[in-house]
C-alpha cells in the first residue's frame, strides 16, 4: 500500500494500463452515445428547427399578405382621393354653371319685367287716349244734339232728305 | 493492494487521495480545479463558438444551444414565475450547464489516462467542496432574491401561514444547502465509486450498463439541482396574500 502511494506520487504522467484506466468500457459507452444520442437529440432538434422555420415562413407570408393589402388599400385610397377631387372639381364647374344660369335668368327676368312694365304703360296710355277720344266724341254729340233742334226746320229737313235720296241714287 | 497482484490484478482503487495545492494557509484540491477549468473551458468554447455566427435558420450547435436555452427558460419560468424569472435565468442556466457538463465530463472523459502525483482526476461535482460552494451560492441567491423583491417583508415568509412554522423555516435555511450539496456530491461520487469498484472486480462488459445508468442519474442530478435552486428562489419571491 505505502509503496503504491509512493510510486503514485512520482509526478504527472500517462497511465496507459488498459484495465486501470477503464478505457475499453469508456470507448464502448462513448460509441454507444455517439450512435444513439444523435438519433434521439437530432430528432428533437430537427423538429424544433423545422417548427421554427415553419413559424418564420408563416410570419413572412403574413408580412407579405399585409404588405400586399396595404399596397392595395393605398391604391384604393389614391383612387378615392382622385374621385373625390374629380367630384369636387365637377361640383365647382356645376356651381359656376348654375350661378351663370341663374344670373342669366335673373337678367332676362328683369328685362322681361321691364318690358312688361313698358307695355303696360303703353296699353294704359292707349286706353286713356281711347277714353278721352270717346269722351270727346260724346261731348261733341251732346253739343250737336243740343244745337240740333234750333237749326233743324222743315225746309232744311227736306233739303237734307232729298240730298240723302240723291246720295242714295249715286250709290 | 499492490502486494496482492494475483487476486486483484487489473486495477487499483484509491479514495480520499487529493492533489493538494497550498494557497496561503489553505490546502485546495488541485485535481478538482484542473477538471473544472478544463470543463468550463470546453463549455465556454462550445457556447462562444456556437453563438458566434447566429443565423435565422438555427443549424447545428446554434440549434442545440437554443434548445438548451428554451429548456432552461421553461424550467426557470415554471419554478420562479413569470415576473422575475428573467433575472434568475442566467444563474439557473449556469448551474444546470456546469453541473451537467461536470457530471458527464467526469464520466465520459478518460481522465485516468493522466496520472497525477496524488489523487485522480474526475467529475468536479464528486468533490464535496464544489457542491457545497454551489449550494451556498443558491442560498445566497434566494436570500438576495427575497430581500431585493420584497424588502424586509421577505421575513413574513418565516411566519407564513402561522408563527408555529418559524423554527421549521429557520431549520430549512440550513437543510436546503445541506441537502442540495450532499445529494449531488453523494450521487456523483457513488456513481464514480460503483464504476471504479466494478472495473476493479470485473474489468470488462459489466461496468458498461452501470456507466449508462450513471450518465442517466448524472443528468437527472443536474436537473434536480437546477430545479430545486429555481424552486427556492421562486419560493423566496412568491407573494403571500
Amino acid at each position: 500500500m505505502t509503496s503504491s502511494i509512493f510510486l503514485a506520487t512520482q509526478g504527472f504522467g500517462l497511465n496507459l494500463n488498459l484495465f486501470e484506466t477503464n478505457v475499453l468500457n469508456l470507448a464502448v459507452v462513448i460509441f454507444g452515445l455517439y450512435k444513439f444520442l444523435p438519433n434521439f437529440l437530432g430528432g428533437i432538434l430537427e423538429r424544433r428547427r423545422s417548427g421554427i422555420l415553419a413559424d418564420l415562413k408563416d410570419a413572412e407570408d403574413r408580412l407579405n399578405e399585409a404588405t400586399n393589402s396595404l399596397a392595395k388599400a393605398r391604391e384604393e385610397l389614391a383612387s378615392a382621393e382622385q374621385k373625390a377631387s374629380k367630384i369636387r372639381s365637377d361640383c365647382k364647374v356645376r356651381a359656376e354653371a348654375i350661378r351663370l344660369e341663374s344670373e342669366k335668368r335673373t337678367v332676362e327676368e328683369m328685362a322681361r319685367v321691364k318690358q312688361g312694365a313698358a307695355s303696360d304703360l303703353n296699353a294704359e296710355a292707349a286706353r286713356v287716349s281711347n277714353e278721352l277720344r270717346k269722351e270727346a266724341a260724346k261731348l261733341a254729340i251732346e253739343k250737336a244734339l243740343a244745337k240740333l233742334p234750333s237749326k233743324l226746320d222743315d225746309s232744311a229737313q227736306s233739303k237734307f232728305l232729298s240730298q240723302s235720296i240723291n246720295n242714295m241714287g249715286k250709290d | 493492494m499492490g502486494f496482492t497482484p494475483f487476486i486483484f490484478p487489473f486495477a487499483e482503487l484509491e479514495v480520499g487521495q487529493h492533489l493538494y495545492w497550498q494557497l496561503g494557509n489553505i490546502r485546495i484540491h488541485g485535481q478538482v480545479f484542473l477538471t473544472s477549468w478544463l470543463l468550463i473551458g470546453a463549455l465556454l468554447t462550445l457556447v462562444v463558438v456556437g453563438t458566434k455566427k447566429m443565423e435565422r435558420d438555427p443549424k447545428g450547435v446554434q440549434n442545440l444551444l437554443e434548445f438548451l436555452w428554451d429548456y432552461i427558460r421553461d424550467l426557470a419560468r415554471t419554478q420562479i414565475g413569470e415576473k422575475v424569472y428573467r433575472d434568475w435565468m442566467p444563474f439557473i442556466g449556469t448551474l444546470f450547464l456546469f453541473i451537467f457538463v461536470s457530471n458527464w465530463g467526469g464520466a465520459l472523459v478518460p481522465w485516468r489516462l493522466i496520472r497525477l502525483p496524488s489523487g485522480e482526476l474526475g467529475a468536479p461535482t464528486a468533490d464535496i467542496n464544489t457542491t457545497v460552494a454551489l449550494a451556498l451560492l443558491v442560498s445566497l441567491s434566494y436570500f438576495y432574491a427575497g430581500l431585493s423583491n420584497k424588502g424586509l417583508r421577505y421575513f413574513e415568509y418565516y411566519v407564513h401561514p402561522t408563527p408555529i412554522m418559524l423554527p421549521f423555516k429557520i431549520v430549512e435555511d440550513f437543510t436546503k444547502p445541506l441537502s442540495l450539496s450532499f445529494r449531488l456530491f453523494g450521487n456523483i461520487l457513488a456513481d464514480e465509486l460503483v464504476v471504479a469498484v466494478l472495473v476493479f472486480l470485473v474489468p470488462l462488459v459489466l461496468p458498461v450498463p452501470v456507466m449508462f445508468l450513471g450518465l442517466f442519474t448524472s443528468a437527472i442530478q443536474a436537473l434536480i439541482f437546477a430545479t430545486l435552486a429555481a424552486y427556492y428562489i421562486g419560493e423566496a419571491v412568491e407573494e403571500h396574500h
Side-chain angles (χ1 to χ4, degrees):
Chain A
M1 191 76 188
T2 29
S3 70
S4 79
I5 288 173
F6 181 70
L7 280 173
T9 51
Q10 288 304 304
F12 289 92
L14 283 180
N15 184 356
L16 292 178
N17 185 323
L18 278 184
F19 294 111
E20 251 181 44
T21 54
N22 196 18
V23 172
L24 295 174
N25 293 324
L26 266 178
V28 172
V29 169
I30 291 172
F31 179 76
L33 281 184
Y34 175 77
K35 202 77 180 159
F36 293 110
L37 204 60
N39 279 339
F40 172 67
L41 204 60
I44 296 175
L45 291 182
E46 196 45 50
R47 270 199 298 285
R48 181 178 178 277
R49 177 165 167 249
S50 56
I52 286 174
L53 288 182
D55 281 356
L56 279 176
K57 201 180 158 295
D58 205 40
E60 257 169 14
D61 284 353
R62 268 181 295 164
L63 175 67
N64 278 340
E65 211 173 283
T67 313
N68 283 344
S69 47
L70 177 67
K72 221 170 100 185
R74 281 226 174 98
E75 230 164 64
E76 269 166 18
L77 176 69
S79 86
E81 260 170 3
Q82 213 171 359
K83 215 179 268 176
S85 73
K86 194 164 158 274
I87 287 171
R88 204 176 295 137
S89 67
D90 277 7
C91 279
K92 264 186 193 149
V93 167
R94 269 224 332 259
E96 187 67 15
I98 288 170
R99 201 173 63 80
L100 282 178
E101 172 78 16
S102 66
E103 232 170 43
K104 211 177 96 194
R105 280 232 304 272
T106 312
V107 167
E108 273 173 5
E109 190 74 5
M110 272 162 71
R112 208 171 55 74
V113 166
K114 222 185 259 176
Q115 207 181 3
S119 62
D120 274 5
L121 197 65
N122 283 345
E124 193 69 9
R127 200 179 58 78
V128 167
S129 68
N130 252 354
E131 207 116 306
L132 283 175
R133 217 174 283 148
K134 264 185 203 158
E135 200 72 14
K138 219 161 110 188
L139 281 177
I141 289 168
E142 269 170 15
K143 227 184 219 172
L145 281 176
K147 255 191 216 169
L148 206 50
S150 61
K151 274 194 183 169
L152 205 56
D153 51 18
D154 285 346
S155 64
Q157 199 164 3
S158 62
K159 201 173 134 197
F160 181 68
L161 275 173
S162 62
Q163 198 181 341
S164 294
I165 291 162
N166 284 343
N167 275 354
M168 275 162 71
K170 272 180 202 165
D171 285 341
Chain B
M1 288 174 210
F3 292 117
T4 53
F6 296 109
I7 302 170
F8 302 117
F10 298 115
E12 279 189 72
L13 189 63
E14 50 182 19
V15 179
Q17 298 294 318
H18 297 291
L19 174 68
Y20 284 111
W21 290 346
Q22 197 78 30
L23 200 78
N25 285 331
I26 310 165
R27 299 211 303 163
I28 58 178
H29 294 175
Q31 84 276 14
V32 177
F33 281 83
L34 288 176
T35 44
S36 298
W37 288 334
L38 280 172
L39 292 171
I40 290 170
L43 187 58
L44 276 180
T45 311
L46 178 78
V47 172
V48 169
V49 168
T51 53
K52 204 158 200 168
K53 217 171 70 145
M54 300 284 267
E55 283 173 44
R56 261 185 58 172
D57 177 4
K59 269 184 250 169
V61 183
Q62 188 195 336
N63 196 7
L64 176 69
L65 291 175
E66 283 181 7
F67 170 71
L68 285 174
W69 189 91
D70 276 352
Y71 186 75
I72 291 163
R73 194 226 12 225
D74 288 347
L75 193 155
R77 190 162 56 185
T78 47
Q79 299 298 333
I80 300 179
E82 198 69 53
K83 207 170 139 199
V84 289
Y85 82 90
R86 283 179 192 81
D87 298 344
W88 293 102
M89 217 189 109
F91 180 61
I92 304 299
T94 308
L95 280 180
F96 176 71
L97 288 180
F98 174 68
I99 293 171
F100 182 78
V101 169
S102 292
N103 294 351
W104 275 44
L108 286 178
V109 179
W111 295 110
R112 289 195 196 172
L113 285 175
I114 300 162
R115 190 170 50 208
L116 299 181
S118 169
E120 56 188 22
L121 295 172
T125 40
D127 191 283
I128 185 77
N129 298 295
T130 314
T131 60
V132 166
L134 292 172
L136 287 179
L137 277 179
V138 172
S139 284
L140 280 181
S141 300
Y142 78 72
F143 269 111
Y144 175 75
L147 289 172
S148 69
N149 265 276
K150 300 199 283 192
L152 288 178
R153 280 195 46 241
Y154 165 65
F155 294 105
E156 279 178 11
Y157 157 77
Y158 286 87
V159 291
H160 186 274
T162 68
I164 300 168
M165 296 301 286
L166 183 65
F168 301 105
K169 299 247 172 150
I170 290 173
V171 168
E172 249 187 4
D173 277 336
F174 294 97
T175 55
K176 276 173 184 173
L178 199 71
S179 64
L180 273 182
S181 54
F182 271 83
R183 182 184 306 113
L184 183 57
F185 159 72
N187 271 286
I188 305 307
L189 183 69
D191 180 44
E192 280 195 354
L193 282 181
V194 166
V195 173
V197 168
L198 268 180
V199 169
F200 178 57
L201 297 174
V202 190
L204 286 178
V205 182
L206 202 59
V208 171
V210 179
M211 285 164 89
F212 272 113
L213 185 71
L215 287 179
F216 179 69
T217 52
S218 333
I220 297 288
Q221 286 308 317
L223 177 62
I224 286 177
F225 196 99
T227 309
L228 278 177
Y231 173 74
Y232 293 154
I233 292 169
E235 204 180 30
V237 299
E238 190 191 3
E239 288 288 344
H240 303 287
H241 291 296

